[in-house]
Amino acid sequence: MPEYSVIADEAEFTSAIERLAEGEGPFAVDVERASGFRYSQRAYLVQIYRRGSGVFLIDPPALSDFSPLQAVLGTADWVLHAASQDLPSLRELGLEPPRIFDTELASRLLGHARVGLGAVVEDTLGITLAKAHSAADWSTRPLPQSWLEYAALDVLHLIDVRDALVSELAEQGKTDLAEEEFQAVLDRPVKPPRTDPWRRLSGLHTLRGRRNLAVARALWEAREELAVAQDVSPGRLVPDRALVAAVAAAPESKRALAAVKEFTGRASRSELDRWWAAIEQGRATTDLPLERVGSEALPPPRAWIDRNPDADARLKAARPLVEARAEELTMPTENLLTPELLRRVAWEPPAPIDADTVGAALLALGARHWQVRETAQVIADAFVASVQSVEIAAENAS
């Protein structure tokens, strides 16, 4: 195994860009973040490999201008594994691929039983990767050599994996649909910020009353402010369960808050003034959150038979047929059509029901054209059959 070093100064960076420009073919690209350790999802290491150039491990925090790298990387396709996870961090650096090949997504479309990077490399190339540092704190400096070796292996074999998967896609007649899926990953819009993100506090459902929710919100906001300032994962400062425990304990003083044994975390005592101020703010505010908020989410399918029996019949008729079609195509059902899309069109079907109207409804919900080609007729037939069965049942009952 060669000794790897991190590119952390402008001269080394310029040299790496020049060498990448001299290579040939696509670029294998990967990112290491510090999820679970840092607040941000920034890239703390960018790995790039190109045939004829070699592997380069780049230290983003130490460098300022990535436009020269983008100028080179923009000249050829990128190969990534689970691209949707890495693209936001890369885009934050100003790095944008012209086209991608996603080895994880391709493996799913091909029906591979295992789609993690190590498994895909082993299944396609017969090479076993040691995956020992995937959950490491990549903001650590200096990075240990064993971590750098691990990071290099994440890109070293990706081009060969891509070549093997390209052949397999062609053999299964899935080249075009894979390209459509890859483009959909690139085109996927950024999710808008969540409304009331504090409501995702684990254990919040155990609290009763709008005042307690106001206190929980204030504590969550205080933790977010500190987490952003220190670039630390919020849960490492004070876990969710500790915030909820502090609300439930209803302490009458700062000292009483410090005595809540469930109120733990590295900042639970060092930032006690902050937490007590948040509790007082939550208790004083007149802006009390509602206990229940409206949601565009559909009810769980188990409740459909009571709330919308016709939709329940449509879903029960279509789901096994879509699953069967996915099996015929040797891919997971969720890659053929996500359960959410099927539920949406079953809950509120188009009129009249036929392949064209169902297909249009699916496209409006975000389905890809190839997914519509493979499922619209199946779903339309199932919906029509469910209507007929409901009508026959009603006639028999009368």
Side-chain angles (χ1 to χ4, degrees), residues 276-344:
W276 181 247
I279 288 175
E280 290 188 316
Q281 176 188 335
R283 289 173 175 172
T285 185
T286 57
D287 177 22
L288 298 179
L290 297 173
E291 291 198 63
R292 294 185 179 276
V293 293
S295 172
E296 293 183 359
L298 295 175
R302 64 178 178 275
W304 285 27
I305 195 166
D306 294 320
R307 298 184 61 176
N308 191 339
D310 290 343
D312 182 65
R314 287 190 291 268
L315 183 62
K316 286 176 177 174
R319 186 163 50 196
L321 297 183
V322 173
E323 291 171 351
R325 184 60 186 138
E327 189 172 345
E328 291 171 2
L329 292 169
T330 61
M331 68 175 62
T333 303
E334 60 269 21
N335 286 105
L336 174 58
L337 192 70
T338 64
E340 174 69 10
L341 291 188
L342 181 57
R343 287 195 291 265
R344 289 279 175 188

Side-chain angles (χ1 to χ4, degrees), residues 19-324:
R19 288 176 61 189
L20 284 167
E22 293 168 356
E24 58 183 19
F27 300 94
V29 182
D30 190 41
V31 169
E32 303 296 347
R33 295 174 294 277
S35 302
F37 296 92
R38 298 290 181 175
Y39 183 88
S40 68
Q41 290 299 305
R42 70 181 299 185
Y44 282 96
L45 193 72
V46 175
Q47 307 101 282
I48 306 174
Y49 168 76
R50 194 183 197 190
R51 287 175 177 156
S53 301
V55 174
F56 299 91
L57 307 179
I58 299 169
D59 184 6
L63 302 166
S64 56
D65 183 9
F66 279 76
S67 58
L69 178 60
Q70 172 61 28
V72 172
L73 294 184
T75 62
D77 293 3
W78 296 11
V79 182
L80 304 100
H81 191 82
S84 61
Q85 297 179 21
D86 291 340
L87 285 174
S89 300
L90 290 164
R91 285 168 169 158
E92 192 174 303
L93 299 173
L95 300 177
E96 180 74 32
R99 288 176 13 121
I100 65 168
F101 186 99
D102 188 329
T103 51
E104 185 210 38
L105 183 49
S107 299
R108 291 184 183 278
L109 296 171
L110 288 165
H112 287 198
R114 304 183 302 163
V115 297
L117 177 59
V120 172
V121 171
E122 185 173 354
D123 291 344
T124 55
L125 306 179
I127 298 172
T128 301
L129 300 183
K131 303 295 288 182
H133 305 294
S134 59
D137 179 3
W138 288 90
S139 66
T140 300
R141 293 296 183 271
L143 289 166
Q145 184 61 211
S146 61
W147 293 21
L148 298 181
E149 292 172 0
Y150 159 87
L153 288 173
D154 276 356
V155 292
L156 185 59
H157 302 293
L158 268 187
I159 306 300
D160 291 337
V161 169
R162 177 252 191 193
D163 290 349
L165 295 177
V166 163
S167 297
E168 196 173 346
L169 286 167
E171 290 169 4
Q172 292 193 22
K174 295 177 178 177
T175 299
D176 290 344
L177 69 86
E179 290 179 355
E180 193 173 347
E181 285 295 288
F182 300 155
Q183 190 61 46
V185 172
L186 273 184
D187 295 341
R188 189 170 298 154
V190 176
K191 288 184 178 180
R194 284 181 174 270
T195 303
D196 291 346
W198 60 272
R199 290 186 183 272
R200 298 188 70 197
L201 266 174
S202 179
L204 187 71
H205 66 282
T206 63
L207 300 177
R208 296 290 179 267
R210 297 174 68 183
R211 181 61 62 188
N212 277 341
L213 292 182
V215 175
R217 178 182 61 191
L219 282 169
W220 182 90
E221 290 172 346
R223 187 183 65 173
E224 285 291 293
E225 181 182 346
L226 181 61
V228 170
Q230 297 187 358
D231 192 17
V232 174
S233 174
R236 296 182 71 83
L237 294 172
V238 180
D240 284 7
R241 65 179 181 277
L243 293 184
V244 172
V247 179
E252 297 182 357
S253 65
K254 191 191 310 181
R255 174 178 290 184
L257 173 61
V260 177
K261 64 179 182 179
E262 297 88 357
F263 189 58
T264 58
R266 78 185 208 187
S268 59
R269 301 300 182 272
S270 62
E271 294 286 337
L272 196 61
D273 288 345
R274 178 185 300 271
W275 312 129
W276 181 247
I279 288 175
E280 290 188 316
Q281 176 188 335
R283 289 173 175 172
T285 185
T286 57
D287 177 22
L288 298 179
L290 297 173
E291 291 198 63
R292 294 185 179 276
V293 293
S295 172
E296 293 183 359
L298 295 175
R302 64 178 178 275
W304 285 27
I305 195 166
D306 294 320
R307 298 184 61 176
N308 191 339
D310 290 343
D312 182 65
R314 287 190 291 268
L315 183 62
K316 286 176 177 174
R319 186 163 50 196
L321 297 183
V322 173
E323 291 171 351

